[in-house]
Amino acid sequence: MQRPDQKPYIHIKESIYNGKFSYGLNNKILISELAELWFLDIKDIMRPSSYAIYQSYAKKYILPYIGSTRADSFNADRLSELLGSLYKGNTGNKEKETALSQYTVYLLESMVRSMFHYGAEQKLIPEIPFGKAEFITVKKKEALPLPELEVQKLLYTAEKQGEDLQLQIMLPLYAGVTLSELCGLKWEDINTGTGEIHIHRNLVRIQNNISKGSKENTGTATSMAECEFSENMCRKFTMPEKLSSLLEKVEHDKKPDKRSYVAEPDKKAGRKRSAGMPEDAPDGRTLQYRLKVAGEKAGIKRLTFKVLRDTFAVMCLQAGGDVYSLAYIMGAKVPAVCDRYGEWMVKNDRFLKEIE
């Protein structure tokens, strides 16, 4: 784990804290050293149980194979080779020849990418272009939740950029709302006293035909419109404490009009609107762009609202939520939830012992 001529990581840690370390001919850091520094960096933002799992995975599946490699010589091909071997169980180590699940390999890939992203940010190593994720890519119908570390990094990034962005990220992450539902959510739909949220409308983009004087001279224009849900699609439920507390704080600080939208509006001039559409209505394209930028700052590429919603669903299932309650909260049908999130459902056979 350490080179005999060095005290373990002390020279690097002190240089980082003093802002004096940079990669070069005399500073060739090993992946094992990079991992140690990365673990120190993420320790305070992760739950102890998750942190222990990450350390265990690194010790068992990452460091034995690439720990002694110089970090600046690692590349996308070697990462793909490592992940492929783990996925197939062909590691060359008879004690570790069990093939890993796709989700476990996905988690290991996200760990390595995050580790090297941290190293580049701290100027320990040059930026290494890993390219498109290989094992993170799955079929479109399958869920792709964020690992806990990426969730915490995203929340930390959003917190530094203000409460508006925090809300726009935490509402899908902790209430499972879709992008259109987020756009249509108003303060009158939030009860910060009881911690309840009422989802009963969305804001959608529609195409309007425009006549320019003749039958041949026609075109279309995009505008926004509110759509109220039918009664069987409306949902009301209690939010997680983290989201409820943030909404209560924002409501106390800003004292927004109950009829105003929760998400920050699009300030782009000249946007076409439906007749009577309020000027403070948010635009989904703007929110998508803000989320993408926030994800990139947190080291998460191609972040979407669907990924946040998937993460919410998986967190609910891992917390012991049942599929029927989750289907109601997400406004989805039970078969659709089972089909998309079946891999993460908590399997419980304890009830069989109660049958007489």
Side-chain angles (χ1 to χ4, degrees):
M1 290 289 288
Q2 80 179 77
R3 289 175 282 189
D5 59 330
Q6 295 175 329
K7 295 180 180 179
Y9 322 118
I10 292 177
H11 67 298
I12 301 176
K13 284 190 288 184
E14 290 179 347
S15 298
I16 290 176
Y17 297 145
N18 294 330
K20 297 178 180 178
F21 187 92
S22 62
Y23 58 86
L25 293 176
N26 298 320
N27 291 318
K28 298 301 183 182
I29 185 172
L30 302 181
I31 291 179
S32 59
E33 295 175 321
L34 177 61
E36 182 75 9
L37 292 166
W38 178 66
F39 274 113
L40 289 173
D41 184 68
I42 67 174
K43 186 173 184 178
D44 292 337
I45 65 173
M46 294 193 72
R47 291 181 301 176
S49 57
S50 299
Y51 185 75
I53 292 174
Y54 272 50
Q55 284 191 311
S56 174
Y57 277 10
K59 184 177 180 181
K60 189 173 182 180
Y61 301 119
I62 297 175
L63 298 182
Y65 307 108
I66 61 174
S68 59
T69 302
R70 265 182 25 194
D72 63 335
S73 67
F74 199 63
N75 56 38
D77 290 338
R78 298 196 65 180
L79 175 60
S80 180
E81 182 183 353
L82 170 65
L83 296 173
S85 298
L86 291 170
Y87 186 58
K88 297 175 182 178
N90 301 328
T91 59
N93 187 332
K94 292 185 178 180
E95 296 180 0
K96 300 182 177 68
E97 286 188 346
T98 302
L100 302 181
S101 69
Q102 181 170 341
Y103 180 70
T104 300
V105 178
Y106 151 59
L107 181 58
L108 292 170
E109 181 173 6
S110 71
M111 286 175 61
V112 173
R113 286 172 174 265
S114 180
M115 187 189 306
F116 276 83
H117 178 74
Y118 161 79
E121 276 191 331
Q122 297 295 333
K123 301 189 186 309
L124 300 171
I125 55 174
E127 184 73 44
I128 297 178
F130 287 116
K132 184 178 179 180
E134 182 175 354
F135 286 87
I136 292 178
T137 303
V138 295
K139 297 177 182 178
K140 287 186 177 180
K141 72 173 186 176
E142 296 176 343
L144 189 61
L146 296 175
E148 183 182 342
L149 172 60
E150 293 188 354
V151 170
Q152 297 304 325
K153 288 170 68 177
L154 180 61
L155 293 177
Y156 178 71
T157 299
E159 184 178 0
K160 292 193 294 183
Q161 296 184 55
E163 292 175 339
D164 287 326
L165 182 61
Q166 278 185 279
L167 283 180
Q168 290 163 28
I169 288 176
M170 290 182 65
L171 278 162
L173 185 59
Y174 287 100
V177 298
T178 65
L179 174 57
S180 61
E181 290 169 349
L182 171 62
C183 290
L185 191 67
K186 296 184 178 181
W187 283 101
E188 64 186 8
D189 305 322
I190 305 291
N191 187 330
T192 54
T194 62
E196 285 186 320
I197 184 171
H198 185 199
I199 301 170
H200 59 96
R201 86 169 70 76
N202 62 8
L203 199 60
V204 296
R205 189 179 304 281
I206 58 175
Q207 294 284 341
N208 298 312
N209 293 323
I210 298 177
S211 176
K212 298 181 181 179
S214 66
K215 202 170 192 179
E216 292 78 18
N217 194 14
T218 59
T220 60
T222 302
S223 59
M224 305 295 292
E226 283 183 3
C227 294
E228 290 288 333
F229 292 161
S230 59
E231 186 175 346
N232 65 329
M233 292 181 63
C234 297
R235 298 106 72 192
K236 183 183 287 187
F237 53 89
T238 302
M239 298 174 287
E241 179 64 28
K242 185 177 292 188
L243 174 58
S244 180
S245 297
L246 176 61
L247 285 162
E248 185 175 13
K249 181 179 184 300
V250 174
E251 185 180 50
H252 178 270
D253 294 343
K254 296 190 174 182
K255 298 178 174 54
D257 187 295
K258 285 291 185 182
R259 293 168 296 181
S260 65
Y261 294 94
V262 176
E264 186 181 20
D266 176 23
K267 297 183 176 63
K268 183 178 179 181
R271 196 187 69 189
K272 295 181 176 66
R273 299 173 182 271
S274 302
M277 196 68 190
E279 287 297 316
D280 67 342
D283 184 0
R285 293 173 300 183
T286 305
L287 302 191
Q288 286 176 318
Y289 176 75
R290 290 178 187 148
L291 179 64
K292 177 184 175 183
V293 172
E296 289 173 348
K297 289 183 178 179
I300 307 169
K301 295 184 178 180
R302 294 177 294 277
L303 183 62
T304 66
F305 283 95
K306 181 175 284 189
V307 170
L308 295 183
R309 186 168 151 92
D310 282 343
T311 305
F312 166 77
V314 171
M315 288 194 298
C316 288
L317 291 170
Q318 291 179 336
D322 64 272
V323 66
Y324 295 99
S325 299
L326 181 59
Y328 168 78
I329 289 172
M330 299 189 73
K333 294 184 178 180
V334 170
V337 172
C338 292
D339 185 46
R340 188 168 181 83
Y341 304 110
E343 183 179 351
W344 286 275
M345 287 183 184
V346 178
K347 310 232 176 5
N348 174 21
D349 61 0
R350 291 193 298 273
F351 64 90
L352 294 172
K353 296 181 180 180
E354 304 301 322
I355 297 178
E356 296 180 355

